[in-house]
Every structure is written in C-alpha cells, then in structure tokens.
Amino acid sequence: MTYDVSRRSLLALGAGLGATTMLGGSALARAPKVGTQASYFYRFNLGPPKGTFIGVPDEEARKMLSDNFLSPDNVVLEQNSPIVNMGDKLVLFDTGMGTSKAFGPTTGRQQKSMAEAGIKAGDIDAVVFSHAHIDHIGGVVDDSGKVLFPNAQFYIAQSDFDFWTDEGKLGSPLKDFVVHARKNLMPVRDRLVFFKDGQEFLPGIQAMAAPGHTVGHHMFMVTSEGKSFAFLGDLTHHAILLLEKPRMEFSYDTDPKQAAESRVKMLDMLAANKIPVMSYHFAWPGYGHVAKAGEGFHYYPEAMVMTL
C-alpha cells in the first residue's frame, strides 16, 4: 500500500520528554513551549538476548550487541511516547506502564514528564494506541481507577481491543496483560474510536496496519504541509537486533512470523521514502531514520538538541 505523506508538514522537534516527546511549531494549540527540557524516559531491562530475540544463535546476538558497544548481557528497552501538536489538537501516542511495575520500578512516569514540559493531562485532545500491551495502555487511569485524560478521545484498533479485554483469557498465561488492559480501557469504553488500516482518523494522522506483534498492532504516519514522520509503535523493539536481522523473532509477539513480515515490509517502505521515524523502544528520544543495509537496516538517530 502507498501512503500519502504530502498533505501537511511535520512540526519541528521541540521538547524531548523521554516518556513523552513533543513535536511543536508556531501553532501551539493549548500547550505553548515552556523553554525547559524534561530529562526522563522509561527504561527497563530484558536481561540477556537468549530466549527473547529468536532466530539467530545466542552468540551471534551477543556479538551484534557488543559490536555496537552495547552490553551483550543485558538488553535495555526504553519507552518514548510522542505528543504531537497539530495546531488545533494535542495528540498523545501510547501511555506507558502507568501503575504496573511488571517491567520494573522505573516505569510509570509519563504524567510527571508531561508536567515538567508544561503539558497538563487535560490539554490532551486525543490518545492514540498502537496496541493494547501493558506498556502502551497502562497510563490511562491512576491507582484509584480515575481517568487521567479528562478531555481526550481514545483511538485503537478494534481487533486489539477485543483481544486484550477478553475475559475468557483471564485463565490463560495472558492474564496479567488482560487485567491491565481491562483496568485502563474499560473506563473509557464510551470514548473509544476504532480506526482501520489506511484511515486518516484524525487530520494528518493515518493508521498503518503492522500486525504480528499483536493482532491489531498499528503504526502511524503523521503528516503536515508536505513533511512526515512515522510513529512505529512496536514494529521493532531494538535498533540493532531487529534492524540488522529484521526477520529475527521477538518472544513477546503474538505471531512472530507475521510480525517479522510486517517489520520488513514497513521498514522497506520507510527507508525507500526516507521518512523520519520514532520508535517506542529505541534509546531516547528514539527519533531518526532507517536505511537499507545489506539484508537488513541501519538506524541513524537524529542529533538530540536541548531546548533552553
């Protein structure tokens, strides 16, 4: 499928929030820049690559990490969720872990990072979910179950909503994911809008199905005045392992082989069109470009510019 990326222009990268990255320009909706740089992001460890990244020998995976000056004994994933300022709307993509500590004690900081950037939860007009895993939908409610984004409409693929809120899965190994999804999504069920593949469901924001990680996993093309960037969600979890070897499988994928097919297809398109990307789990701020490199790809991070 060919995606139209020419209608609007991408607003300049503003304040990197770690947990939240803001893209903002001169039209600042209800959240002007405050001139400060929030410094936090979520980081959690998966341990050695053994058993998590599947499809190459363990020693080869370790060498891929060490050759890129990364620890071969500990795979670190971070969590970056962008807030995109479309001029008349503030759109947040994914909400982090929230109250869950399933991935360690350093997660669940999105609300604080937003406050440090001068953004109130009430300023958010739309919350868009790439999929319904714990670390993407976890920050909708607080400990008491109160919805944290009082003025937002919420967007997700219906197939993912149905899968991860299914009470029939509470007796399965997916129980913790289902409990957390129900805790965060059911309180906003009446505010959920289901998007479809290829649909521009918000002005300048187009859904792009990339299934496999979950049944309804999507990435998104954000366009403004002829420029674009793609929020990848969990298309690829690691900037080395799943780019150099994009057909390597990831153990948290619902359908690892389908996820690998989606990854290769979408990365091919992004590289060919030189579209900037932002990946949820890459090193902060997770924004840059991908390019073909042999049978795989290489990630070129954008230089991080601190705002004062």
Side-chain angles (χ1 to χ4, degrees):
M1 177 176 292
T2 300
Y3 293 90
D4 177 11
V5 295
S6 62
R7 198 178 69 80
R8 304 184 51 167
S9 89
L10 174 65
L11 303 177
L13 186 65
L17 314 184
T20 308
T21 295
M22 180 176 177
L23 300 173
S26 58
L28 292 176
R30 295 199 304 269
K33 295 178 186 176
V34 295
T36 60
Q37 182 86 16
S39 58
Y40 289 92
F41 48 91
Y42 308 151
R43 172 177 287 173
F44 61 96
N45 301 325
L46 285 179
K50 181 179 177 65
T52 302
F53 296 89
I54 306 163
V56 301
D58 294 340
E59 284 309 307
E60 183 176 349
R62 291 170 59 86
K63 185 176 186 301
M64 291 168 67
L65 293 169
S66 60
D67 284 353
N68 286 275
F69 305 98
L70 298 174
S71 169
D73 299 311
N74 191 31
V75 177
V76 176
L77 302 186
E78 297 175 5
Q79 296 178 16
N80 309 296
S81 43
I83 290 177
V84 181
N85 193 328
M86 301 303 291
D88 59 343
K89 290 185 183 297
L90 284 179
V91 183
L92 167 66
F93 292 84
D94 291 339
T95 62
M97 294 289 293
T99 61
S100 174
K101 298 301 178 185
F103 293 168
T106 63
T107 59
R109 202 185 184 282
Q110 186 179 75
Q111 291 288 320
K112 187 173 182 180
S113 291
M114 287 172 57
E116 290 171 348
I119 301 173
K120 299 176 183 178
D123 293 336
I124 301 298
D125 300 292
V127 176
V128 177
F129 300 114
S130 60
H131 61 295
H133 272 171
I134 285 176
D135 54 324
H136 294 258
I137 51 81
V140 176
V141 301
D142 64 12
D143 283 321
S144 70
K146 178 185 175 182
V147 176
L148 294 172
F149 301 97
N151 301 315
Q153 192 91 53
F154 297 82
Y155 298 82
I156 195 170
Q158 184 169 0
S159 56
D160 234 53
F161 173 81
D162 291 346
F163 186 96
W164 293 106
T165 60
D166 179 6
E167 290 181 286
K169 294 183 175 68
L170 289 173
S172 77
L174 301 175
K175 175 184 175 180
D176 288 344
F177 284 81
V178 174
V179 167
H180 207 57
R182 290 187 61 83
K183 174 184 177 181
N184 284 274
L185 296 180
M186 298 312 291
V188 295
R189 178 62 185 87
D190 62 341
R191 283 196 265 164
L192 276 176
V193 175
F194 299 128
F195 51 69
K196 297 183 182 300
D197 179 30
Q199 178 185 2
E200 187 180 28
F201 59 94
L202 286 167
I205 300 176
Q206 185 179 26
M208 304 166 66
H213 180 55
T214 64
V215 295
H217 178 267
H218 279 68
M219 50 184 276
F220 306 96
M221 193 70 74
V222 181
T223 66
S224 182
E225 295 180 8
K227 296 183 180 180
S228 308
F229 86 103
F231 176 59
L232 304 184
D234 280 4
L235 182 73
T236 172
H237 287 73
H238 199 273
I240 303 300
L241 297 177
L242 291 178
L243 284 187
E244 288 188 5
K245 301 283 187 180
R247 294 192 181 277
M248 189 185 302
E249 297 178 4
F250 186 65
S251 62
Y252 289 89
D253 291 337
T254 300
D255 185 335
K257 295 191 184 311
Q258 185 185 41
E261 290 297 325
S262 291
R263 183 159 49 249
V264 171
K265 173 186 174 182
M266 291 302 187
L267 290 175
D268 271 335
M269 181 273 293
L270 293 165
N273 290 282
K274 298 184 178 181
I275 297 169
V277 302
M278 183 174 185
S279 183
Y280 191 72
H281 286 303
F282 285 8
W284 185 80
Y287 186 83
H289 290 80
V290 292
K292 282 290 292 181
E295 295 299 311
F297 301 87
H298 185 81
Y299 172 63
Y300 295 89
E302 186 83 8
M304 185 175 66
V305 179
M306 303 295 284
T307 58
L308 301 176

